[in-house]
PDB file of all heavy atoms in Angstrom:
ATOM      1  N   THR T  60       9.490  -4.563  29.792  1.00 98.00           N
ATOM      2  CA  THR T  60      10.758  -4.110  29.498  1.00 98.00           C
ATOM      3  C   THR T  60      11.024  -2.907  30.265  1.00 98.00           C
ATOM      4  O   THR T  60      10.138  -2.099  30.521  1.00 98.00           O
ATOM      5  CB  THR T  60      10.997  -3.861  27.930  1.00 98.00           C
ATOM      6  OG1 THR T  60      12.305  -3.538  27.700  1.00 98.00           O
ATOM      7  CG2 THR T  60      10.036  -2.729  27.472  1.00 98.00           C
ATOM      8  N   ARG T  61      12.257  -2.637  30.553  1.00 96.00           N
ATOM      9  CA  ARG T  61      12.665  -1.251  31.311  1.00 96.00           C
ATOM     10  C   ARG T  61      13.585  -0.437  30.288  1.00 96.00           C
ATOM     11  O   ARG T  61      14.473  -0.952  29.728  1.00 96.00           O
ATOM     12  CB  ARG T  61      13.356  -1.635  32.483  1.00 96.00           C
ATOM     13  CG  ARG T  61      13.770  -0.423  33.426  1.00 96.00           C
ATOM     14  CD  ARG T  61      14.426  -0.914  34.747  1.00 96.00           C
ATOM     15  NE  ARG T  61      14.735   0.302  35.443  1.00 96.00           N
ATOM     16  CZ  ARG T  61      15.960   1.019  35.333  1.00 96.00           C
ATOM     17  NH1 ARG T  61      16.871   0.575  34.454  1.00 96.00           N
ATOM     18  NH2 ARG T  61      16.169   2.012  36.102  1.00 96.00           N
ATOM     19  N   VAL T  62      13.250   0.831  30.236  1.00 96.00           N
ATOM     20  CA  VAL T  62      13.981   1.762  29.430  1.00 96.00           C
ATOM     21  C   VAL T  62      15.285   2.033  30.110  1.00 96.00           C
ATOM     22  O   VAL T  62      15.366   2.395  31.334  1.00 96.00           O
ATOM     23  CB  VAL T  62      13.198   3.095  29.217  1.00 96.00           C
ATOM     24  CG1 VAL T  62      14.001   4.025  28.299  1.00 96.00           C
ATOM     25  CG2 VAL T  62      11.779   2.786  28.626  1.00 96.00           C
ATOM     26  N   ILE T  63      16.403   1.968  29.328  1.00 94.00           N
ATOM     27  CA  ILE T  63      17.655   2.231  29.861  1.00 94.00           C
ATOM     28  C   ILE T  63      18.066   3.737  29.296  1.00 94.00           C
ATOM     29  O   ILE T  63      17.543   4.171  28.335  1.00 94.00           O
ATOM     30  CB  ILE T  63      18.780   1.284  29.394  1.00 94.00           C
ATOM     31  CG1 ILE T  63      18.762   1.215  27.867  1.00 94.00           C
ATOM     32  CG2 ILE T  63      18.478  -0.031  30.034  1.00 94.00           C
ATOM     33  CD1 ILE T  63      19.901   0.277  27.314  1.00 94.00           C
ATOM     34  N   PRO T  64      18.997   4.421  29.943  1.00 95.00           N
ATOM     35  CA  PRO T  64      19.436   5.693  29.591  1.00 95.00           C
ATOM     36  C   PRO T  64      20.366   5.491  28.322  1.00 95.00           C
ATOM     37  O   PRO T  64      21.548   5.577  28.376  1.00 95.00           O
ATOM     38  CB  PRO T  64      20.218   6.332  30.789  1.00 95.00           C
ATOM     39  CG  PRO T  64      19.911   5.438  31.891  1.00 95.00           C
ATOM     40  CD  PRO T  64      19.547   4.080  31.404  1.00 95.00           C
ATOM     41  N   ALA T  65      19.688   5.420  27.166  1.00 94.00           N
ATOM     42  CA  ALA T  65      20.377   4.851  25.992  1.00 94.00           C
ATOM     43  C   ALA T  65      20.969   5.934  25.128  1.00 94.00           C
ATOM     44  O   ALA T  65      21.546   5.553  24.001  1.00 94.00           O
ATOM     45  CB  ALA T  65      19.500   3.991  25.206  1.00 94.00           C
ATOM     46  N   GLN T  66      20.805   7.239  25.376  1.00 94.00           N
ATOM     47  CA  GLN T  66      21.299   8.258  24.558  1.00 94.00           C
ATOM     48  C   GLN T  66      22.636   8.747  25.208  1.00 94.00           C
ATOM     49  O   GLN T  66      22.639   9.145  26.368  1.00 94.00           O
ATOM     50  CB  GLN T  66      20.405   9.424  24.318  1.00 94.00           C
ATOM     51  CG  GLN T  66      19.228   8.965  23.364  1.00 94.00           C
ATOM     52  CD  GLN T  66      18.390  10.150  22.938  1.00 94.00           C
ATOM     53  OE1 GLN T  66      18.270  11.126  23.714  1.00 94.00           O
ATOM     54  NE2 GLN T  66      17.848  10.103  21.770  1.00 94.00           N
ATOM     55  N   LEU T  67      23.651   8.853  24.384  1.00 96.00           N
ATOM     56  CA  LEU T  67      25.019   9.242  24.799  1.00 96.00           C
ATOM     57  C   LEU T  67      25.524  10.286  23.981  1.00 96.00           C
ATOM     58  O   LEU T  67      25.278  10.371  22.697  1.00 96.00           O
ATOM     59  CB  LEU T  67      25.999   8.044  24.774  1.00 96.00           C
ATOM     60  CG  LEU T  67      25.519   6.868  25.531  1.00 96.00           C
ATOM     61  CD1 LEU T  67      26.224   5.586  25.119  1.00 96.00           C
ATOM     62  CD2 LEU T  67      25.976   7.109  27.072  1.00 96.00           C
ATOM     63  N   GLU T  68      26.191  11.299  24.616  1.00 96.00           N
ATOM     64  CA  GLU T  68      27.034  12.382  23.906  1.00 96.00           C
ATOM     65  C   GLU T  68      28.492  12.164  24.114  1.00 96.00           C
ATOM     66  O   GLU T  68      28.862  11.938  25.337  1.00 96.00           O
ATOM     67  CB  GLU T  68      26.580  13.796  24.316  1.00 96.00           C
ATOM     68  CG  GLU T  68      25.153  14.061  24.002  1.00 96.00           C
ATOM     69  CD  GLU T  68      24.930  14.309  22.507  1.00 96.00           C
ATOM     70  OE1 GLU T  68      25.864  14.675  21.877  1.00 96.00           O
ATOM     71  OE2 GLU T  68      23.846  13.951  22.003  1.00 96.00           O
ATOM     72  N   GLY T  69      29.210  12.061  23.040  1.00 96.00           N
ATOM     73  CA  GLY T  69      30.673  11.739  23.213  1.00 96.00           C
ATOM     74  C   GLY T  69      31.517  12.654  22.282  1.00 96.00           C
ATOM     75  O   GLY T  69      31.116  13.542  21.459  1.00 96.00           O
ATOM     76  N   GLU T  70      32.828  12.288  22.320  1.00 96.00           N
ATOM     77  CA  GLU T  70      33.784  13.010  21.487  1.00 96.00           C
ATOM     78  C   GLU T  70      34.761  11.980  20.767  1.00 96.00           C
ATOM     79  O   GLU T  70      35.065  10.995  21.413  1.00 96.00           O
ATOM     80  CB  GLU T  70      34.609  14.013  22.294  1.00 96.00           C
ATOM     81  CG  GLU T  70      33.821  15.164  22.953  1.00 96.00           C
ATOM     82  CD  GLU T  70      34.746  16.099  23.672  1.00 96.00           C
ATOM     83  OE1 GLU T  70      35.862  15.719  24.082  1.00 96.00           O
ATOM     84  OE2 GLU T  70      34.167  17.196  24.051  1.00 96.00           O
ATOM     85  N   VAL T  71      35.078  12.352  19.620  1.00 94.00           N
ATOM     86  CA  VAL T  71      36.248  11.611  18.808  1.00 94.00           C
ATOM     87  C   VAL T  71      37.135  12.814  18.427  1.00 94.00           C
ATOM     88  O   VAL T  71      36.794  13.575  17.464  1.00 94.00           O
ATOM     89  CB  VAL T  71      35.699  10.864  17.684  1.00 94.00           C
ATOM     90  CG1 VAL T  71      36.929  10.377  16.826  1.00 94.00           C
ATOM     91  CG2 VAL T  71      34.826   9.773  18.070  1.00 94.00           C
TER      92      VAL T  71
END
Side-chain angles (χ1 to χ4, degrees):
T60 189
R61 182 176 181 274
V62 183
I63 59 175
Q66 286 193 331
L67 297 159
E68 293 290 330
E70 295 180 348
V71 173

